């Protein structure tokens, strides 16, 4: 209690009501981690606002006290981005969970940031519409968190990631002031500040209202499962499908390690356990378009060496095939106490070579790396199961993770495709950005938050920000 | 003075010439040289304007020097298998398309203007054509950028892969900000496979029936390449024209065309043979140049009739095109800054931002590319300009009175 500061707690309680301020260690511990198992930090105090006005009042209060803070959605992020240290106030936005308006004609929804991704989908489905970004955690993650991370998901191959679906944002800045960015159409009142804000990992402010674009539910969906006797032939099929001009709604790959974990779990989907890799291909759209794409894709899969191609014959079978994919991370949780879910992107044509390199890195460090990923856009998720209590093992995992990142960057890729940088990948940023660019990012952040109190210490290694300030001071 | 500036510029840029007005024009050979030119201008307190092919916005800003992207025309990487190309910003859109065609790929941008328009101009102004219905706004085609900032730093945003959330998305800031933050010197672009067949279908008639038909078509489960309504002023005909584009395999296109006809039995569609389709595309592209001022109105499709009503009360009919799927209106004609200001106020009440895409300098300066800012936008924009161009080297009137 004393650590939180009695005066601060009282002032926060005056804004949100005392029951929405969490000060006990046991309560605060509930927020000590997000979906990344390797990072823990207990916040100074947790405050749960119930309205956008309360968010503004909290941020104004914290600005007066120059107190750092972190906004948080459901805490499902995988980069340690929603962690607050003992000096920092944590602001979960889960109470701001109202869908404010849905305009079926114009295909727009206006929502609060704490709306759960899947709940938005459920709410608009009766209108024949969908919200496309579908992270694997969509049953729990919030759209506000998706905005902060520019989240993706399997169906982003065809429909785009979060930034392609957000047209307007009401944002509370770190000084407590309001900025209204974008418009229902998506054009801007000035430069593209919505585009800049999405993916800023909670370091520019808090989005308290989000306008998203909805898409019609597809008339036809076809889900194919193809299994291969080698990872290389599966990844070559991926390249061939993309090069043929087919844009599947989703094109996912799972290797044998993943298949075995899924099939041994309650999420068993009927994947062939003797396959080196399976591809899950989903085609959607008008029925004639799906029919034509199906013929093209099936021919490519066959010529790439698919042993069997199965087409889901019912919605239930489709759901089962997808459940295996979406719960693959959960299934791996059975294998060992800890799981590192990596996230990197490579050019699609380098998938075969990079996957072999990742296998070699795992072997070198005596680790099992399982791959389950968005193959269609080259977004890899190499996963390493381990027991974090074994320090030596944990260090090997860390070294292997860095080598995997270096291999992906060496192939012309990026250190993250959808999970964000957060705390986890901050030190990898210099692998892909030079000093002037990193310093510019620091300065851009300061345009939104001059005292750097919003989600402090994430994304950019701190010395770049220091150097920028020193350069400007000279 | 201009000779002295030219002499100094020669020390950092590959080539320097003088324009017709005697202003020194630097023609850097790469991004580093472009950054050096701006760095020198920043140090000396000079003001610079950026020039591409000079076919879209007039190159008339009263600057101390011009920076032309004329020599930045290399295709630095073309990976058709990955559907990615990295291209310098001075390359003409038509040359880019010609280079990509043999590989069966394209950049799915169809901006208005002349074919010689440069990629840099298209990205800096974020002007998109009818295909935005299917492929989204200009920003969605950009994977990464190299930008020379107003104070002479070479900054890289994004990357060369199709999915990437590393760091802040600085590319979004550069696309569509008219060069206020820096000069785009290079872009990595998302490519698409060229469809086997592309079919344009046209129908002419009154605004109301065509608007209604277009909106109901947009609600069908058909992946339209474009659904655009063009005014008589734009096409040169007596009536409005509703144009749709369908793309895919022969079989798919034929099937979609059949569904369009079945859904609109009262309309007499013409299947534009290549010449007619090209004529219409040219009218849409060139019509945007047929008048000194072009405005982009960010309206949802359902708001278009009311918006056109407001437009008609403030400016002459001009040349209009409207997207009936994702919305968006482009207007070209005669307008002074005062009228643009009034229109912005009226449109703001409909939640529609208006962007000044092109105009002579006095109108640009007096009206600003943007206006009717919402809360906080002006303050954030000014702070961001301080980051990229603290001494305002880049002569870009983002808002009324700038420059």
């Amino acid at each position: 209690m004393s650590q939180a500061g009695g005066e601060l707690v009282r002032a926060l309680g005056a804004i949100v009501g005392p029951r929405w301020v969490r000060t006990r260690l046991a309560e605060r511990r509930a927020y000590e981690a997000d979906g990344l198992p390797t990072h823990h930090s207990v916040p100074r105090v947790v405050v749960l606002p119930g309205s956008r006005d309360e968010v503004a009042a909290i941020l104004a209060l914290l600005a007066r006290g120059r107190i750092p803070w972190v906004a948080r959605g459901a805490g499902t992020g995988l980069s340690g981005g929603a962690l607050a240290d003992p000096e920092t106030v944590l602001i979960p936005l889960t109470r701001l969970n109202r869908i404010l308006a849905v305009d079926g004609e114009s295909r727009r929804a206006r929502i609060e940031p704490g709306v759960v991704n899947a709940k938005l989908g459920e709410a608009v489905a009766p209108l024949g519409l969908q919200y496309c970004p579908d992270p694997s955690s969509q049953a729990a993650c919030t759209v506000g968190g998706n905005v902060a991370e520019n989240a993706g998901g399997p169906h982003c191959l065809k429909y785009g990631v979060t930034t392609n679906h957000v047209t307007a944002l009401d944002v509370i800045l770190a000084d407590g002031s309001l900025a209204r960015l974008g418009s229902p159409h998506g054009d801007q009142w000035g430069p593209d500040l919505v585009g800049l804000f999405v993916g800023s990992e909670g370091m520019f402010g808090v989005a308290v209202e989000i306008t998203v674009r909805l898409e019609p539910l597809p008339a036809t969906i076809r889900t194919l499962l193809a299994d291969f006797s080698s990872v290389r032939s599966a990844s070559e099929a991926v390249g061939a499908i993309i090069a043929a001009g087919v844009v599947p709604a989703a094109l996912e790959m799972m290797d044998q390690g993943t298949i075995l974990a899924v099939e041994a779990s309650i999420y068993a989907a009927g994947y062939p356990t003797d396959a080196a890799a399976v591809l899950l291909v989903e085609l959607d759209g008008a029925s004639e378009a799906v029919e034509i794409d199906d013929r093209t894709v099936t021919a490519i899969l066959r010529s790439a060496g698919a042993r069997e191609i199965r087409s889901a014959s019912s919605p239930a079978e489709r759901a089962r095939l997808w459940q295996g994919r979406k719960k693959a991370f959960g299934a791996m949780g059975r294998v060992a106490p800890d799981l590192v879910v990596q996230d990197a992107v490579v050019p699609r044509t380098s998938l075969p070579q990079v996957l072999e390199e990742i296998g070699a890195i795992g072997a070198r460090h005596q680790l099992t790396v399982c791959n389950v990923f968005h193959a269609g856009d080259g977004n890899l998720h190499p996963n390493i199961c381990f027991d974090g209590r074994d320090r030596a093992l944990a260090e090997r995992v860390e070294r292997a993770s860095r080598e995997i990142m270096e291999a992906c960057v060496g192939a012309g890729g990026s250190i993250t495709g959808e999970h964000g940088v957060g705390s986890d990948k901050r030190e990898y940023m210099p692998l892909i950005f030079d000093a002037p660019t990193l310093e510019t990012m620091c300065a851009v952040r300061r345009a939104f938050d001059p005292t750097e109190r919003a989600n402090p210490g994430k994304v950019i290694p701190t010395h770049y920000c220091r150097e920028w300030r020193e350069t400007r001071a000279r | 003075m201009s000779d002295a500036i030219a002499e100094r510029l020669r020390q950092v840029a590959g080539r320097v010439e003088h324009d017709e007005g005697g202003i020194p024009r630097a023609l850097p050979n790469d991004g580093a040289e472009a950054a050096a030119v701006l760095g020198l201008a920043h140090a000396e307190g000079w003001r610079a304007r950026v020039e591409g092919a000079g076919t879209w916005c007039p190159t008339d800003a009263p600057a101390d020097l011009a920076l032309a992207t004329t020599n930045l025309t290399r295709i630095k990487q073309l990976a058709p298998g990955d559907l990615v190309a990295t291209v310098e910003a001075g390359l003409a859109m038509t040359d880019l398309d010609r280079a990509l065609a043999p590989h069966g790929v394209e950049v799915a941008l169809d901006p208005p203007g002349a074919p010689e328009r440069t990629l840099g101009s298209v990205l800096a102004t974020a002007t998109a054509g009818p295909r935005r219905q299917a492929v989204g706004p200009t920003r969605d085609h950009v994977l990464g950028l190299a930008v020379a900032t107003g104070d002479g730093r070479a900054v890289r945003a994004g990357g060369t892969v199709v999915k990437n959330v590393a760091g802040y998305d600085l590319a979004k800031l550069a696309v569509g900000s008219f060069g206020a933050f820096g000069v785009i010197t290079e872009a990595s672009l998302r490519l698409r496979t060229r469809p086997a067949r592309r079919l344009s279908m046209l129908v002419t008639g009154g605004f109301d029936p065509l608007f209604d038909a277009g909106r109901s078509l947009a609600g069908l489960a058909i992946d339209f390449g474009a659904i655009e309504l063009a005014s008589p002023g734009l096409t040169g005909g007596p009536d409005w024209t509703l144009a749709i584009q369908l793309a895919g395999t022969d079989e798919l296109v034929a099937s979609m065309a059949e569904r369009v006809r079945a859904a609109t039995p009262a309309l007499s569609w013409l299947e534009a043979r290549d010449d007619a389709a090209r004529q219409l595309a040219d009218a849409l592209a060139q019509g945007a140049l047929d008048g000194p001022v072009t405005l982009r109105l960010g309206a949802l499709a359902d708001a278009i009739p009311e918006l056109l009503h407001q437009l008609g009360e403030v400016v002459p009919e001009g040349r209009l095109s409207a997207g009936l799927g994702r919305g968006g209106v482009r207007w070209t004609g005669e307008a002074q800054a005062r009228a643009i200001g009034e229109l912005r106020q009226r449109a703001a009440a409909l939640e529609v931002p208006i962007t000044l895409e092109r105009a002579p300098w006095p109108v640009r300066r007096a009206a600003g590319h943007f206006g009717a800012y919402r809360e906080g936008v002006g303050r954030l924009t000014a702070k961001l300009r301080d980051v990229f161009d603290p001494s305002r080297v880049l002569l870009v009137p983002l808002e009324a009175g700038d420059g």
Side-chain angles (χ1 to χ4, degrees):
Chain A
M1 181 69 204
S2 61
Q3 201 185 15
E7 200 180 320
L8 173 65
V9 170
R10 272 191 299 279
L12 290 170
I15 296 169
V16 299
R19 66 183 283 239
W20 298 111
V21 184
R22 306 281 152 81
T23 57
R24 291 176 191 282
L25 181 60
E27 294 173 323
R28 289 181 285 129
R29 272 218 171 121
Y31 298 93
E32 71 175 349
D34 58 12
L36 180 73
T38 49
H39 292 52
H40 295 82
S41 180
V42 179
R44 174 179 177 178
V45 59
V46 179
V47 56
L48 294 106
S51 71
R52 57 188 283 165
D53 290 346
E54 289 181 3
V55 174
I58 291 168
L59 296 196
L61 172 75
L62 299 179
R64 286 195 293 278
R66 299 181 75 82
I67 298 166
W69 51 270
V70 174
R72 179 177 170 116
T76 56
L78 292 162
S79 60
L83 262 51
D85 67 25
E87 302 298 313
T88 301
V89 173
L90 187 75
I91 312 174
L93 297 161
T94 41
R95 291 179 64 213
L96 275 76
N97 58 1
R98 289 176 304 162
I99 294 173
L100 301 169
V102 177
D103 178 349
E105 283 294 305
S106 295
R107 297 176 184 164
R108 293 292 184 277
R110 201 157 50 77
I111 63 170
E112 291 186 327
V115 171
V116 170
N117 177 300
K119 293 276 181 202
L120 175 59
E122 286 165 20
V124 300
L127 300 171
L129 298 170
Q130 59 175 335
Y131 176 62
C132 292
D134 61 339
S136 292
S137 57
Q138 69 182 139
C141 67
T142 64
V143 178
N146 298 166
V147 166
E149 300 299 312
N150 191 12
H155 289 83
C156 290
L157 175 59
K158 178 173 180 179
Y159 294 103
V161 295
T162 302
T163 194
N164 306 116
H165 298 270
V166 175
T167 68
L169 294 168
D170 278 5
V171 171
I172 308 293
L173 300 174
D175 63 2
S177 67
L178 169 70
R180 298 190 62 208
L181 315 178
S183 70
H185 168 266
D187 262 13
Q188 305 273 321
W189 304 96
D192 185 0
L193 300 183
V194 170
L196 182 61
F197 189 92
V198 175
S200 59
E201 304 204 19
M203 298 174 80
F204 289 2
V206 179
V208 289
E209 196 173 297
I210 303 162
T211 303
V212 297
R213 201 162 58 79
L214 306 170
E215 292 278 351
L217 282 166
T220 307
I221 301 174
R222 191 153 309 164
T223 308
L224 307 174
L225 182 79
D227 72 81
F228 291 84
S229 50
S230 86
V231 170
R232 177 167 276 272
S233 53
S235 25
E236 283 167 355
V238 170
I241 290 169
I242 298 297
V246 177
V247 186
L251 177 44
E252 303 283 303
M253 194 194 294
M254 283 164 275
D255 68 6
Q256 191 171 38
T258 307
I259 294 167
L260 292 174
V262 169
E263 290 305 311
S265 76
I266 55 165
Y267 309 117
Y271 303 148
T273 50
D274 62 338
V278 294
L279 289 180
L280 194 56
V281 189
E282 187 151 285
L283 305 166
D284 75 8
S287 57
E288 64 268 48
V290 169
E291 204 54 55
I292 290 165
D293 283 350
D294 187 352
R295 288 203 299 268
T296 309
V297 167
T298 301
I300 290 172
L301 292 171
R302 284 205 198 292
S303 76
R307 299 186 310 182
E308 193 192 347
I309 302 167
R310 202 165 100 201
S311 180
S313 57
S314 67
E317 190 182 359
R318 173 183 175 241
R320 190 158 160 253
L321 289 177
W322 270 111
Q323 175 175 272
R325 162 62 188 90
K326 292 212 169 190
K327 301 290 186 185
F329 299 141
M332 284 176 209
R334 293 178 69 255
V335 178
D338 293 290
L339 171 71
V340 168
V341 180
Q342 273 300 358
D343 169 42
V345 190
V346 297
R348 291 170 278 214
T349 51
S350 64
L351 273 175
Q353 161 228 326
V354 171
L355 287 170
E356 280 171 8
E357 274 181 61
I358 290 173
I361 290 167
R364 207 159 49 237
H365 292 280
Q366 297 164 293
L367 298 167
T368 304
V369 183
C370 303
N371 292 289
V372 46
F373 61 98
H374 314 304
D377 40 29
N379 187 183
L380 296 171
H381 292 315
N383 303 299
I384 308 173
C385 296
F386 69 108
D387 184 345
R389 291 167 298 190
D390 180 342
R391 270 318 302 160
L393 178 59
E395 278 166 24
R396 291 211 311 273
V397 170
E398 208 171 305
R399 280 201 300 276
S401 292
R402 184 169 185 97
E403 287 175 27
I404 288 171
M405 280 300 138
E406 286 168 348
C408 293
V409 171
S414 171
I415 58 169
T416 171
E418 57 182 9
H419 293 175
V421 176
S423 324
D424 186 36
K425 295 207 170 138
R426 198 180 53 182
E427 302 310 321
Y428 298 150
M429 285 286 276
L431 292 178
I432 53 169
F433 292 117
D434 59 14
T437 302
L438 291 170
E439 288 163 13
T440 301
M441 286 186 190
C442 293
V444 165
R445 185 272 178 89
R446 287 172 64 82
F448 286 83
D449 173 20
T451 54
E452 298 179 349
R453 289 178 302 103
N455 210 2
K458 309 286 166 55
V459 180
I460 320 278
T462 44
H463 62 274
Y464 288 100
C465 301
R466 213 162 40 237
E467 277 163 22
W468 167 267
R469 283 198 296 277
E470 284 163 6
T471 311
R472 282 288 159 120
R474 281 201 286 271
Chain B
M1 175 66 180
S2 73
D3 283 342
I5 292 177
E7 200 43 50
R8 296 289 307 282
L9 288 173
R10 271 189 199 101
Q11 292 163 12
V12 297
R15 220 176 92 208
V16 179
E17 57 187 30
H18 284 86
D19 78 355
E20 310 74 50
I23 291 178
R25 177 189 282 141
L27 299 104
N29 284 311
D30 55 31
E33 284 190 4
V37 167
L38 294 176
L40 181 61
H42 169 68
E44 296 293 337
W46 300 333
R47 308 210 66 187
R49 71 171 181 239
V50 181
E51 300 177 359
T55 58
W56 179 247
C57 208
T59 51
D60 56 357
D64 300 308
L65 66 106
L67 189 162
T69 58
T70 317
N71 289 339
L72 304 178
T73 54
R74 281 162 289 212
I75 295 178
K76 299 180 83 171
Q77 181 215 10
L78 172 53
D82 291 318
L83 295 177
V84 174
T86 300
V87 180
E88 286 186 329
L91 189 66
M93 292 302 285
T94 185
D95 292 338
L96 174 57
D97 192 56
R98 204 171 299 133
L100 298 178
H103 301 276
V105 293
E106 62 177 359
V107 177
L109 286 166
D110 59 341
E116 313 83 65
R117 223 185 139 182
T118 63
L119 172 66
S121 159
V122 173
L123 299 183
T125 57
T127 37
R131 290 182 70 188
R132 68 190 182 283
Q133 153 73 21
V135 294
T138 308
R139 48 127 88 174
D140 290 1
H141 303 259
V142 177
L143 306 173
L145 290 177
V147 174
T149 65
D151 58 356
R153 284 166 292 134
V155 169
R156 299 195 86 84
T160 58
V161 281
V162 295
K163 203 171 173 191
N164 187 3
V165 296
Y168 310 137
D169 198 347
L170 302 182
K172 296 284 191 298
L173 197 55
V175 173
S177 53
F178 295 89
F181 300 106
V183 181
I184 296 171
T185 56
E186 186 180 303
S188 293
L189 301 166
R190 179 191 295 272
L191 307 180
R192 283 181 166 74
T193 308
R194 282 176 189 261
R197 184 163 183 228
R198 207 172 259 149
L199 171 69
S200 291
M201 291 171 64
L202 317 171
V203 60
T204 56
F207 175 85
D208 289 340
L210 292 190
F211 178 83
D212 291 345
R215 284 299 290 147
S216 71
L217 285 175
L220 297 180
I222 294 179
D223 291 330
F224 288 98
I227 309 183
E228 199 81 4
L229 188 57
S231 75
L234 188 61
T235 59
D239 288 322
W240 288 77
T241 303
L242 176 62
I244 61 167
Q245 196 182 89
L246 304 169
T249 60
D250 287 340
E251 183 187 356
L252 178 60
V253 168
S255 146
M256 289 192 289
E258 192 45 49
R259 289 185 58 205
V260 167
R261 288 180 196 284
T264 53
L267 300 183
S268 307
W269 290 97
L270 297 172
E271 282 194 12
R273 283 171 305 176
D274 284 349
D275 283 354
R278 204 169 301 123
Q279 233 167 29
L280 181 75
D282 287 350
L284 286 171
Q286 303 290 337
L289 296 175
D290 209 1
V293 173
T294 299
L295 300 175
R296 175 167 80 232
L297 302 91
L300 289 168
D302 285 321
I304 286 172
E306 172 58 21
L307 185 68
L308 296 193
H309 172 70
Q310 299 287 341
L311 192 70
E313 291 198 340
V314 181
V315 293
E317 186 184 310
R319 285 142 185 81
L320 263 168
S321 65
L324 300 190
R326 283 191 179 217
V329 173
R330 175 167 287 112
W331 174 91
T332 293
E334 301 260 358
Q336 294 303 314
R338 186 190 298 269
I340 295 168
E342 185 186 339
L343 197 55
R344 277 193 172 131
Q345 295 308 320
R346 289 176 180 232
L350 304 170
E351 290 284 310
V352 174
I354 296 183
T355 305
L356 178 58
E357 287 194 328
R358 53 180 280 280
W361 170 257
V363 177
R364 294 206 303 284
R365 183 171 190 279
H369 288 291
F370 301 111
Y373 280 163
R374 287 294 201 249
E375 290 97 315
V377 173
R379 188 166 63 114
L380 285 172
T381 301
K383 285 183 171 185
L384 288 165
R385 286 190 89 173
D386 289 343
V387 169
F388 288 87
D389 183 19
S391 55
R392 300 294 192 270
V393 166
L394 296 158
L395 200 46
V396 179
L398 271 192
E399 57 187 286
D402 267 359

